[in-house]
Amino acid sequence: MNKIDKSLQQVDYNYFVVKGDGKMITQSTASRGVRNGLEMLDVREGQHVMEIGTGSGFSGALLSTLVGPTGSVVSIDIEPHLTSRARELCEKKELNNIFHATRDGRKGFESGKPYDRIIAWTTPESFPIAWSDQLQEGGLIVIPFQVLPIARCIVTVCLRKVNGILQGEAVASESYIMMSSEPMQDLKELAGYHVQAELVGEGDEAAWASSRWLKENPSQEWLDKFTSTQPESLPFEETGEEIRAYLLGKNPEGFTNACHPESGSWIGYSSPTGFALASGHQSGQWLVTDSLHADVLRNWWNEWKRLGKPRFKQLQPVLVGDQVKVKLKGGE
């Protein structure tokens, strides 16, 4: 059993994420996402860790056990009721090596630097320079970041500080809500892919679509066509989700993410005149308006296969100014 498995056995998930009324804390990260983030972070005993996004307190408690009695954790959240609640829960469990602070996570926590590891469970709109400044040489940062300016393009990246410069190490598929500089009354303002989409229908469970061309030409007619087109058999066995990492790395013109409240997520190619979109999770299904759009998606699919069907492990994160981008390893 590895150290993360041991920590997951030691820390009671429900103790942290379930409130007194039996409801779950809204700002909770699924245990699978927490586990994947901690695996990327590679925490060692005795290290000093900064966590951005206290949430339920569960991830901070795991970090507390991972660094052990000789290590320490600083956990930051903009929501005072979350840091207060997590502090109380940790004190009851005698987790005395974790300190909770209420503040804008973009600023980090200067007085606690340098940190061996920094992890964020919320997505900054640009990379906070304070995080790099407060990281120890050789240390790791694991953060979610929107790598393309369209919806459903947030991934989690791991960066290492080498000679004062952050270098990309790994990419994972997990995504998290955008950061806020003030406490939020309604998380709906930050949660959900539709928040970043350029075209959103009406109603609580509305269809939406996101592509760079839609920023300049949002078309209700296009959305109506998307919602009325019936799925057909896709000439490939894989789901659209399997090609997502490749499209994030290549960033081709017309790359589009969309969602229908009944048929789920769709990914592929679109233009103002039509689309060819593969079902995100239903194998062998696509929405297609014409042969021209279908041919573009076929070409993308064939290129993905030619490259060996690259997944997230084949992506390399790169810090460009205050933005994080991803590219396919090997430069293709």
Side-chain angles (χ1 to χ4, degrees):
M1 183 182 297
N2 65 31
K3 57 188 179 182
I4 295 178
D5 287 331
K6 291 180 180 178
S7 292
L8 287 167
Q9 284 193 348
Q10 286 180 255
V11 179
D12 184 350
Y13 179 73
N14 288 334
Y15 173 77
F16 286 95
V17 304
V18 179
K19 297 185 292 184
D21 60 5
K23 297 180 180 179
M24 290 187 65
I25 291 286
T26 306
Q27 301 89 339
S28 300
T29 298
S31 57
R32 176 180 175 276
V34 172
R35 180 196 177 92
N36 290 344
L38 294 181
E39 286 182 345
M40 294 179 77
L41 195 63
D42 189 26
V43 179
R44 311 290 178 85
E45 189 170 348
Q47 289 187 328
H48 189 35
V49 180
M50 179 166 66
E51 173 187 54
I52 313 297
T54 301
S56 68
F58 174 65
S59 55
L62 289 171
L63 287 168
S64 172
T65 62
L66 287 170
V67 300
T70 60
S72 59
V73 178
V74 172
S75 182
I76 300 170
D77 206 293
I78 195 66
E79 300 282 357
H81 73 278
L82 292 179
T83 52
S84 175
R85 177 181 180 274
R87 183 184 302 113
E88 181 180 341
L89 292 175
C90 286
E91 288 175 352
K92 288 180 178 179
K93 290 294 185 181
E94 298 184 349
L95 298 174
N96 301 317
N97 61 347
I98 181 168
F99 174 77
H100 296 89
T102 303
R103 60 179 304 162
D104 187 340
R106 298 174 183 86
K107 299 176 183 178
F109 197 75
E110 179 78 15
S111 62
K113 73 174 187 181
Y115 300 97
D116 300 291
R117 300 286 190 268
I118 297 174
I119 188 166
W121 308 106
T122 179
T123 307
E125 67 283 350
S126 58
F127 190 89
I129 189 65
W131 296 0
S132 177
D133 291 342
Q134 294 172 24
L135 184 68
Q136 182 82 270
E137 177 68 20
L140 294 176
I141 292 181
V142 172
I143 63 164
F145 209 90
Q146 185 167 0
V147 296
L148 292 178
I150 62 175
R152 229 179 154 244
C153 288
I154 294 176
V155 299
T156 296
V157 303
C158 179
L159 308 169
R160 185 183 295 274
K161 191 172 184 178
V162 180
N163 297 324
I165 299 173
L166 292 176
Q167 298 182 0
E169 295 239 325
V171 181
S173 62
E174 279 76 23
S175 63
Y176 299 92
I177 65 170
M178 300 301 294
M179 292 188 73
S180 173
S181 57
E182 298 179 355
M184 296 296 298
Q185 299 299 319
D186 187 357
L187 281 179
K188 291 181 179 179
E189 296 181 31
L190 296 176
Y193 296 116
H194 67 280
V195 173
Q196 298 171 314
E198 290 73 42
L199 191 58
V200 183
E202 297 181 357
D204 293 336
E205 297 293 331
W208 59 261
S210 184
S211 188
R212 285 193 300 276
W213 69 264
L214 279 168
K215 296 179 184 296
E216 299 179 359
N217 189 21
S219 168
Q220 182 61 44
E221 182 180 352
W222 189 98
L223 189 64
D224 291 342
K225 186 183 294 185
F226 166 66
T227 56
S228 62
T229 300
Q230 295 301 308
E232 300 178 14
S233 295
L234 179 71
F236 304 108
E237 296 179 356
E238 302 86 0
T239 66
E241 187 63 22
E242 293 177 77
I243 199 175
R244 186 160 79 93
Y246 163 79
L247 293 177
L248 289 171
K250 297 292 286 188
N251 186 20
E253 187 67 29
F255 173 32
T256 302
N257 283 302
C259 184
H260 189 283
E262 296 179 1
S263 56
S265 63
W266 298 86
I267 184 170
Y269 169 67
S270 78
S271 77
T273 60
F275 46 80
L277 305 169
S279 172
H281 300 285
Q282 183 65 43
S283 178
Q285 293 284 305
W286 70 346
L287 300 176
V288 59
T289 55
D290 56 81
S291 60
L292 291 177
H293 289 83
D295 287 343
V296 172
L297 186 57
R298 283 194 187 96
N299 289 336
W300 290 358
W301 218 281
N302 289 331
E303 175 70 0
W304 172 65
K305 287 185 172 182
R306 185 188 70 81
L307 295 175
K309 299 182 179 182
R311 306 294 177 91
F312 282 91
K313 289 184 178 181
Q314 282 72 52
L315 289 179
Q316 180 81 25
V318 181
L319 185 60
V320 182
D322 64 357
Q323 299 295 306
V324 177
K325 306 295 182 183
V326 294
K327 63 179 182 179
L328 291 174
K329 293 180 179 178
E332 293 201 63

